[in-house]
Every structure is written in structure tokens, then in C-alpha cells.
Amino acid sequence: MKIGIVGLGYVGLPLAVSFCEAGHEVIGVDVEARVVDALSRGESHIEDVPGHALAAVADRFEATTRYADLAQVDAVIVAVPTPLTQNREPDLQPLIAAGTSLAGVLQEGQLVVLESTTYPGTTRERLVPMLEESGLAADRDFFVAFSPERVDPGRTDHTLRTTPKVVGALTPESLQKAVELYELVCDNIVTVSTPEAAELTKLLENVFRSVNIALVNELAILCDRMGVDIWEVVDAAATKPYGFMSFKPGPGMGGHCLPVDPFYLAWRAREFDQPTEFIELAGEVNQRMPYFCVEKIGRALNNHSKPIKGSRIAVVGVSYKAGVGDIRESPGLKIIRLLRDQGGDVVYNDDFVPELTDFALASQPLDEVLEGADCVVIVTAHPGLDVERIVASAPLVVDFRGVTRGIEASNLVRL
Ligand SMILES: NC(=O)c1ccc[n+]([C@@H]2O[C@H](COP(=O)([O-])OP(=O)(O)OC[C@H]3O[C@@H](n4cnc5c(N)ncnc54)[C@H](O)[C@@H]3O)[C@@H](O)[C@H]2O)c1
């Protein structure tokens, strides 16, 4: 098959490579000429897609900024961002731009699948009307489905092939076409009756994580007051063989999905006079975590007779999770901003994030940030981080990821 992928980011690029690896041709369209140029040179900007994987499929993969090239494909998968506006409402601009461009090149018989995470109703009420501007009719001239992406950047134990793929479509014929498409790269397809059910499935998965992380974060704050070790409690609870799932506390939620997606559902729910209080409360608790972290850093410094103001604070790991360089919504950025607001002299180390232009900061080698630091704050622990060396050489270490568990030291403070 010939497949078009719109949006070559964390979702679109691995998907493109998977279809190529399965022997199919892919035309990837992205509005960022910089991304397209780099991919055309064989350079990947996504950690999960190494350069050698791109090179191996170079004869079947073409990156372009031209939507017109999509006229030749059998199916188009749309994986553009679905961010929030300043007021934390759904921002469908990238999707509207993609849908409008796609309508200009849509061909009879093509299948269009939306993979961007969004509120229930987007595919039917927003995408289909845009595509019908082409003059073609959905489910007569072209086919439409929604299939949420479940990629977890940095994860290798579950792949696109082994992770069940949920698909919902407007009609059985569209559903069948979408199933045939995904069977090329996935072993297990799970069909649901409508695109709305598929859209809401993705939101349920992410809200589930958000709510559970908020719960354990709230307990972490309580444990801090009570002098109980939250990590020990979570690990002990996890020994229960049924009815409990382990979620780890941390400095707050980041990335494109968890801090954003619940707001898509909450926004849509308001239209139905049904507030989603649980979901919004979880968002609030998680957003509060960086503030709590900075308070904890302040207390730790105070115990060493130092204020935040003027102290040299080395932040280790600024991306939102281990093993990736994605800084979108990262709590590490919030922590840096809050520390700076209080006069902290912040430096950072993160091999995945060479610079933070908003702060005019560049990542420094671990040795350099350790030197002269009054306090080292572990915000994200990338694989291979030498935690023992940090504890051995820094006067004060604050660990928000629990990676220092097992080390007993008087200069160590944990969430
Ligand atoms: N990153 C994840 O872990 C993840 C997981 C599951 C689902 N999702 C969802 O998938 C969608 C994409 O997320 P992502 O992380 O891949 O985003 P991303 O920012 O990494 O990639 C999106 C790409 O789309 C391009 N783009 C924007 N507007 C475009 C347009 N009109 N036409 C063509 N290209 C356009 C951007 O330049 C960018 O390269 C979002 O809805 C997200 O919520 C993301």
C-alpha cells in the first residue's frame, strides 16, 4: 500500500517507519520545512526513531511539505498536535489546517484516519465536514475513521505491533478499510462502534493515569507532613496481587498528553452540562506539584542555613520523562522558573535537552553542574544517571523521582 502520514512528530514518524518496515511506501507531510529537510537528509528528530532505522527504509519513505503528493496514496493518517489555547481550551488550529489542506487533494476511494488525541465528536463534527469541502461525500466517495495512538516515547517493551489498536468509524465499510490498514503493522485490532467511542477510549486511558498520579502526588504531600516515606508505601501497596496498580509520585505531569488531554474532555463535557470534577481536580493537584517541589527545595536549603536567593541550584534532568528530550509542559521548566523568581542561580544538566532558550541556559556536563552547587535537584533521571556520584559529591541533594532509594546519606532529601 501507499500511505500518507500528516504530522511527522512523536506519533507520525514512528508510524511512518513501521509501515515502511512492513514493506509499504509512505509519504510523510509536515508543515515544518526544517523537519522535512532533516528527515530527507536521513536525520531523525525523534529519539524512538534512530538514524539507522530511517536509513533502512529510505527507498520507501519520502518526507515533504507538499500536500499535493498525498493524491497518490491509498490512506492518510493524521497525527498533528492537539494543544490547548492560552485559556486551556482545545486548540484545533493544526487539525483544521491539516483538514483544509487535505480537502484540497482528497481522492475518491481514499481512507482518512485521525490519530490525534481529541474530544469525542471531533472526527464526525469537525474533520468530516472539512474533508467534504472537497466535493466528495464521506462513506460514499471516501472513508473516515478514528484510531488513537498509544505510543509511549522511550518505551521498548510494547511496540506498535504488539499494542492492541483501537479503531472506530462512521460506517462498517470505513471500519473495515481502517482495520485492513492497521493489520499491516498491528497484530491485534480492537474495533468499537463509533469514532466517538474510540476518541473517548484514548481520553479514558490518559485521564486514568492523570487521576492516579494526582492521587499518589497528594499522598506524597501528606507523607511529607507526616514524615512517612511515600515510596515505601507505594511499593508495599503494590505487593497486593489484585485490585491495586502502582503509580509513582513525581514533580508533576509533563509531555503533550497527560497535562493536556483531560482538558479536551472537560471542555466537551461542559457542553453537556456535566462537569468532570474528578478530572479537573487531578489536573489541579498535578499542576501544584512544581510549587510543592520548590517549597521542598527551599526547606532543604534552609536546613543547610541557605536561602534560595543566591544559592547555586543544579537541576538534573529537565525533559518531562526519562529517556526523551521532550520538554513540552515539563515540570522541570516550571521548577526552574519558580527558583529563578526567588533569586536562585540555576544551572542544569540534561544530555537530551542541549539548551533551554527561554531561560538562556545550556546544558552543562554533570561534573560541571555538581561543582560549586549548593543543592542538586533530581527532576528527571535519565537512564544511566550516576546517582551515587551525585549524592557523594553534592552538599545537598533533593530527589523527586525516588532514584536515590537505598542510599542513606544526611545530605539527601526525597519527595
Ligand atoms: N507524544 C506522545 O506520546 C503521544 C502519544 C499518543 C498520542 N499523541 C497525540 O498525537 C498527536 C500528535 O502528537 P505528537 O507528540 O506526535 O506531536 P509532535 O508535535 O511531536 O508532532 C506533530 C507534527 O505535526 C506537524 N504539523 C503541525 N501542523 C501540521 C499541519 N497542518 N500539517 C502537517 N503537519 C503539521 C508539526 O510540525 C509536528 O512535526 C497529538 O494529538 C497527541 O496528543 C501523542
PDB file of all heavy atoms in Angstrom, residues 10 47-48 151-157 321-324:
ATOM      1  N   TYR A  10       6.345  12.809  17.245  1.00  0.00           N
ATOM      2  CA  TYR A  10       6.498  11.634  18.116  1.00  0.00           C
ATOM      3  C   TYR A  10       5.576  10.496  17.711  1.00  0.00           C
ATOM      4  O   TYR A  10       5.908   9.329  17.894  1.00  0.00           O
ATOM      5  CB  TYR A  10       6.224  12.022  19.573  1.00  0.00           C
ATOM      6  CG  TYR A  10       7.393  12.716  20.219  1.00  0.00           C
ATOM      7  CD1 TYR A  10       7.502  14.099  20.207  1.00  0.00           C
ATOM      8  CD2 TYR A  10       8.422  11.978  20.801  1.00  0.00           C
ATOM      9  CE1 TYR A  10       8.591  14.739  20.778  1.00  0.00           C
ATOM     10  CE2 TYR A  10       9.507  12.595  21.373  1.00  0.00           C
ATOM     11  CZ  TYR A  10       9.598  13.980  21.363  1.00  0.00           C
ATOM     12  OH  TYR A  10      10.682  14.598  21.921  1.00  0.00           O
ATOM     13  N   GLU A  47      13.668  10.486  19.295  1.00  0.00           N
ATOM     14  CA  GLU A  47      14.581   9.505  19.907  1.00  0.00           C
ATOM     15  C   GLU A  47      14.214   8.065  19.538  1.00  0.00           C
ATOM     16  O   GLU A  47      15.093   7.215  19.372  1.00  0.00           O
ATOM     17  CB  GLU A  47      14.578   9.615  21.433  1.00  0.00           C
ATOM     18  CG  GLU A  47      15.116  10.912  21.986  1.00  0.00           C
ATOM     19  CD  GLU A  47      14.028  11.963  22.134  1.00  0.00           C
ATOM     20  OE1 GLU A  47      12.866  11.672  21.804  1.00  0.00           O
ATOM     21  OE2 GLU A  47      14.347  13.085  22.557  1.00  0.00           O
ATOM     22  N   ASP A  48      12.901   7.784  19.422  1.00  0.00           N
ATOM     23  CA  ASP A  48      12.472   6.406  19.167  1.00  0.00           C
ATOM     24  C   ASP A  48      12.768   5.949  17.741  1.00  0.00           C
ATOM     25  O   ASP A  48      12.583   4.777  17.412  1.00  0.00           O
ATOM     26  CB  ASP A  48      10.959   6.263  19.430  1.00  0.00           C
ATOM     27  CG  ASP A  48      10.647   6.299  20.923  1.00  0.00           C
ATOM     28  OD1 ASP A  48      11.599   6.208  21.718  1.00  0.00           O
ATOM     29  OD2 ASP A  48       9.467   6.423  21.275  1.00  0.00           O
ATOM     30  N   VAL A 151       1.382   5.282  21.571  1.00  0.00           N
ATOM     31  CA  VAL A 151       2.841   5.282  21.701  1.00  0.00           C
ATOM     32  C   VAL A 151       3.244   5.892  23.057  1.00  0.00           C
ATOM     33  O   VAL A 151       2.623   6.829  23.540  1.00  0.00           O
ATOM     34  CB  VAL A 151       3.489   6.071  20.529  1.00  0.00           C
ATOM     35  CG1 VAL A 151       3.169   7.560  20.612  1.00  0.00           C
ATOM     36  CG2 VAL A 151       4.978   5.873  20.474  1.00  0.00           C
ATOM     37  N   ASP A 152       4.264   5.306  23.646  1.00  0.00           N
ATOM     38  CA  ASP A 152       4.808   5.828  24.894  1.00  0.00           C
ATOM     39  C   ASP A 152       6.288   6.070  24.632  1.00  0.00           C
ATOM     40  O   ASP A 152       7.097   5.142  24.708  1.00  0.00           O
ATOM     41  CB  ASP A 152       4.600   4.795  26.016  1.00  0.00           C
ATOM     42  CG  ASP A 152       5.076   5.320  27.360  1.00  0.00           C
ATOM     43  OD1 ASP A 152       5.374   6.532  27.458  1.00  0.00           O
ATOM     44  OD2 ASP A 152       5.151   4.532  28.308  1.00  0.00           O
ATOM     45  N   PRO A 153       6.647   7.322  24.273  1.00  0.00           N
ATOM     46  CA  PRO A 153       8.030   7.581  23.857  1.00  0.00           C
ATOM     47  C   PRO A 153       9.049   7.020  24.844  1.00  0.00           C
ATOM     48  O   PRO A 153       8.889   7.157  26.056  1.00  0.00           O
ATOM     49  CB  PRO A 153       8.093   9.107  23.798  1.00  0.00           C
ATOM     50  CG  PRO A 153       6.687   9.518  23.513  1.00  0.00           C
ATOM     51  CD  PRO A 153       5.821   8.533  24.241  1.00  0.00           C
ATOM     52  N   GLY A 154      10.056   6.370  24.312  1.00  0.00           N
ATOM     53  CA  GLY A 154      11.121   5.817  25.149  1.00  0.00           C
ATOM     54  C   GLY A 154      10.869   4.372  25.542  1.00  0.00           C
ATOM     55  O   GLY A 154      11.764   3.682  26.025  1.00  0.00           O
ATOM     56  N   ARG A 155       9.637   3.879  25.350  1.00  0.00           N
ATOM     57  CA  ARG A 155       9.311   2.519  25.780  1.00  0.00           C
ATOM     58  C   ARG A 155       9.672   1.525  24.668  1.00  0.00           C
ATOM     59  O   ARG A 155       9.393   1.770  23.502  1.00  0.00           O
ATOM     60  CB  ARG A 155       7.812   2.421  26.093  1.00  0.00           C
ATOM     61  CG  ARG A 155       7.369   1.070  26.597  1.00  0.00           C
ATOM     62  CD  ARG A 155       5.890   1.084  26.883  1.00  0.00           C
ATOM     63  NE  ARG A 155       5.585   1.644  28.182  1.00  0.00           N
ATOM     64  CZ  ARG A 155       5.620   0.966  29.325  1.00  0.00           C
ATOM     65  NH1 ARG A 155       5.959  -0.291  29.344  1.00  0.00           N
ATOM     66  NH2 ARG A 155       5.321   1.541  30.459  1.00  0.00           N
ATOM     67  N   THR A 156      10.265   0.402  25.054  1.00  0.00           N
ATOM     68  CA  THR A 156      10.645  -0.582  24.037  1.00  0.00           C
ATOM     69  C   THR A 156       9.958  -1.936  24.245  1.00  0.00           C
ATOM     70  O   THR A 156       9.954  -2.776  23.353  1.00  0.00           O
ATOM     71  CB  THR A 156      12.177  -0.808  24.035  1.00  0.00           C
ATOM     72  OG1 THR A 156      12.577  -1.065  25.384  1.00  0.00           O
ATOM     73  CG2 THR A 156      12.922   0.403  23.506  1.00  0.00           C
ATOM     74  N   ASP A 157       9.360  -2.137  25.446  1.00  0.00           N
ATOM     75  CA  ASP A 157       8.768  -3.458  25.704  1.00  0.00           C
ATOM     76  C   ASP A 157       7.422  -3.643  24.989  1.00  0.00           C
ATOM     77  O   ASP A 157       7.007  -4.768  24.727  1.00  0.00           O
ATOM     78  CB  ASP A 157       8.626  -3.715  27.217  1.00  0.00           C
ATOM     79  CG  ASP A 157       7.922  -2.579  27.941  1.00  0.00           C
ATOM     80  OD1 ASP A 157       7.744  -1.508  27.336  1.00  0.00           O
ATOM     81  OD2 ASP A 157       7.557  -2.758  29.112  1.00  0.00           O
ATOM     82  N   LYS A 321      10.136  13.357  30.925  1.00  0.00           N
ATOM     83  CA  LYS A 321      10.292  11.973  31.393  1.00  0.00           C
ATOM     84  C   LYS A 321      11.657  11.436  30.984  1.00  0.00           C
ATOM     85  O   LYS A 321      12.327  12.007  30.114  1.00  0.00           O
ATOM     86  CB  LYS A 321       9.173  11.072  30.858  1.00  0.00           C
ATOM     87  CG  LYS A 321       9.230  10.827  29.363  1.00  0.00           C
ATOM     88  CD  LYS A 321       8.081   9.957  28.903  1.00  0.00           C
ATOM     89  CE  LYS A 321       8.394   8.506  29.036  1.00  0.00           C
ATOM     90  NZ  LYS A 321       7.452   7.656  28.296  1.00  0.00           N
ATOM     91  N   ALA A 322      12.031  10.340  31.630  1.00  0.00           N
ATOM     92  CA  ALA A 322      13.355   9.764  31.393  1.00  0.00           C
ATOM     93  C   ALA A 322      13.482   9.234  29.968  1.00  0.00           C
ATOM     94  O   ALA A 322      12.535   8.675  29.417  1.00  0.00           O
ATOM     95  CB  ALA A 322      13.594   8.633  32.388  1.00  0.00           C
ATOM     96  N   GLY A 323      14.636   9.445  29.388  1.00  0.00           N
ATOM     97  CA  GLY A 323      14.943   8.832  28.097  1.00  0.00           C
ATOM     98  C   GLY A 323      14.454   9.595  26.890  1.00  0.00           C
ATOM     99  O   GLY A 323      14.658   9.164  25.754  1.00  0.00           O
ATOM    100  N   VAL A 324      13.796  10.739  27.082  1.00  0.00           N
ATOM    101  CA  VAL A 324      13.361  11.549  25.938  1.00  0.00           C
ATOM    102  C   VAL A 324      13.761  13.011  26.153  1.00  0.00           C
ATOM    103  O   VAL A 324      14.018  13.433  27.278  1.00  0.00           O
ATOM    104  CB  VAL A 324      11.825  11.476  25.696  1.00  0.00           C
ATOM    105  CG1 VAL A 324      11.353  10.070  25.452  1.00  0.00           C
ATOM    106  CG2 VAL A 324      11.062  12.086  26.865  1.00  0.00           C
TER     107      VAL A 324
END
